[in-house]
Amino acid sequence: MHLGVDSFVSTVTDPATGHVIGPAERMEHLLEEITLADRVGLYSFGIGEHHRSEYFDSAPAVILAAAAARTERIRLGSAVTVLSAADPVRVFQQFATLDIISKGRIDLVVGRGSFTEAFPLFGLDLADYDSLFTEKLELLLRIRDAAEVTWSGRHRPALVRQSVYPRPVQDPLPIWVGVGGTPESFARAGLLGLPLMVAIIGGEPRQFAPLVDLYRRAGAEAGHSPDKLQVGLHVFGFVADSTQEAADTIYPGWEEMFTKVSRERGFPRPTRQQFDATSGPNGAFFMGDPQTVADKIHRVSEQLGGVNRLSLQMTNPRLAHDDLLRGIELLGNEVAPLVATA
């Protein structure tokens, strides 16, 4: 199993000083984090896409280009690109260019996004949430398969023998489908034979086993070989020298982040009891010392019938930069070897 890190490039308030990290400093910190992940041998680093005041990741391709120029081995990708609100032609061009810059180290993970700000921002109707993604994914795959494209749909002007360049180093460019908890999304990815990236942000990971099984069955029935039907997990997580240290370090930012989301969505305010349950042995949060995190990764992989890739999303608005660097170092130097040798 390959391990990596995902980041939403959140705004950060230094927990020790109360200093709010500005955009330029935060971006420099991010590039340092990616460079360290490359140095300690992690497999991948993904950048999310949001159009909200608390995140600096509205243009992930630009960030990934800077990261590609500073790294040598680590795979770089989106986590996720909100394809529903984007033009598939431009998405392909951007990531094909990134693939050239990185010499073939790019993964494109596309999804519909868990926030809705992109839809009004780009003049789209939220009522078309699913049809936008379905149609644009079809076009993106068509562009990946051939440089010259003829295509028509509801949500974008038709293409008639139009050529799309540049072409990526990797042929084909890896395109993953990011999903939440909708059975239709799992089945669609399987029918298309595309690798699956499952975002687990709540509940218990083992609850996703029937959906992952649905994905594999749909893929097999469509005639896709098992090696094409890869499963990745995007999970919240943090690694520290001890489990207590991990909890004490990450909880203040977790409370701030989920209090804001809960208020927006009409959910009850999160509690410390919820945090402890979420970060416990059966919860969605992969948090603790290296052995605890490695054990949980193995357990969840077995519950889901095997996982090819797992990325820890360590974004936190109250996490000191040095603590995040330490978490990345532990993930690469200690957790990854434990996962690889078990």
Side-chain angles (χ1 to χ4, degrees):
M1 187 194 308
H2 298 302
L3 297 186
V5 175
D6 286 342
S7 177
F8 291 169
V9 202
S10 68
T11 57
V12 174
T13 300
D14 188 286
T17 66
H19 169 61
V20 178
I21 308 298
E25 185 179 8
R26 179 67 185 93
M27 203 62 70
E28 188 58 36
H29 284 175
L30 173 69
L31 293 172
E32 187 179 346
E33 293 155 15
I34 299 173
T35 302
L36 176 62
D38 184 41
R39 192 162 65 245
V40 299
L42 285 170
Y43 183 76
S44 63
F45 203 109
I47 302 294
E49 179 189 340
H50 299 84
H51 302 272
R52 299 167 59 89
S53 61
E54 67 265 37
Y55 300 114
F56 298 126
D57 61 354
S58 63
V62 179
I63 298 171
L64 291 169
R70 294 189 180 205
T71 55
E72 297 179 358
R73 297 171 299 170
I74 195 166
R75 294 193 67 81
L76 301 166
S78 53
V80 302
T81 293
V82 184
L83 185 63
S84 305
D87 182 347
V89 174
R90 290 299 285 154
V91 168
F92 184 86
Q93 290 176 326
Q94 289 168 352
F95 280 82
T97 302
L98 279 170
D99 204 49
I100 294 168
I101 294 170
S102 68
K103 299 181 176 64
R105 292 186 284 127
I106 294 297
D107 291 303
L108 174 54
V109 185
V110 298
R112 296 179 291 187
S114 59
F115 293 101
T116 60
E117 289 81 6
F119 290 86
L121 183 63
F122 296 108
L124 301 168
D125 189 342
L126 192 57
D128 295 328
Y129 185 75
D130 192 61
S131 65
L132 278 164
F133 181 75
T134 302
E135 181 177 293
K136 291 185 177 186
L137 179 59
E138 176 195 339
L139 175 55
L140 181 66
L141 295 175
R142 191 81 64 86
I143 295 168
R144 183 180 73 163
D145 290 344
E148 186 179 282
V149 180
T150 295
W151 175 92
S152 64
R154 285 180 52 211
H155 301 292
R156 191 204 185 280
L159 298 172
V160 180
R161 299 186 64 183
Q162 294 290 321
S163 297
V164 181
Y165 292 103
R167 307 307 293 180
V169 172
Q170 299 176 94
D171 184 18
L173 180 72
I175 296 177
W176 294 63
V177 177
V179 298
T182 337
E184 293 80 9
S185 298
F186 283 79
R188 174 168 51 208
L191 290 171
L192 292 171
L194 296 174
L196 185 77
M197 184 63 68
V198 186
I200 301 179
I201 58 176
E204 296 186 358
R206 61 186 174 187
Q207 295 172 328
F208 285 80
L211 293 171
V212 173
D213 184 59
L214 172 63
Y215 161 71
R216 291 186 170 122
R217 283 190 287 108
E221 290 171 8
H224 300 296
S225 60
D227 63 293
K228 290 185 66 176
L229 302 174
Q230 297 184 58
V231 175
L233 302 182
H234 163 96
V235 299
F236 283 100
F238 186 67
V239 191
D241 290 291
S242 73
T243 297
Q244 187 61 54
E245 180 186 344
D248 293 342
T249 301
I250 210 74
Y251 175 71
W254 179 92
E255 181 186 36
E256 178 180 317
M257 186 165 48
F258 281 93
T259 294
K260 181 171 185 177
V261 172
S262 296
R263 188 183 302 120
E264 290 177 357
R265 300 185 180 185
F267 299 153
R269 183 186 178 94
T271 65
R272 181 61 190 247
Q273 185 178 13
Q274 284 178 301
F275 173 79
D276 291 338
T278 300
S279 54
N282 297 315
F285 202 50
F286 287 59
M287 185 205 74
D289 62 81
Q291 187 66 60
T292 297
V293 173
D295 289 345
K296 188 165 189 174
I297 290 171
H298 283 300
R299 185 165 59 253
V300 170
S301 179
E302 290 176 1
Q303 290 168 348
L304 300 184
V307 170
N308 302 94
R309 183 186 298 194
L310 185 141
S311 294
L312 264 67
Q313 203 287 96
M314 294 199 273
T315 295
N316 187 291
R318 296 275 172 179
L319 180 61
H321 178 52
D322 287 344
D323 289 333
L324 181 50
L325 291 177
R326 178 61 176 159
I328 292 170
E329 186 177 47
L330 288 170
L331 184 65
N333 289 338
E334 298 195 26
V335 178
L338 289 170
V339 169
T341 56

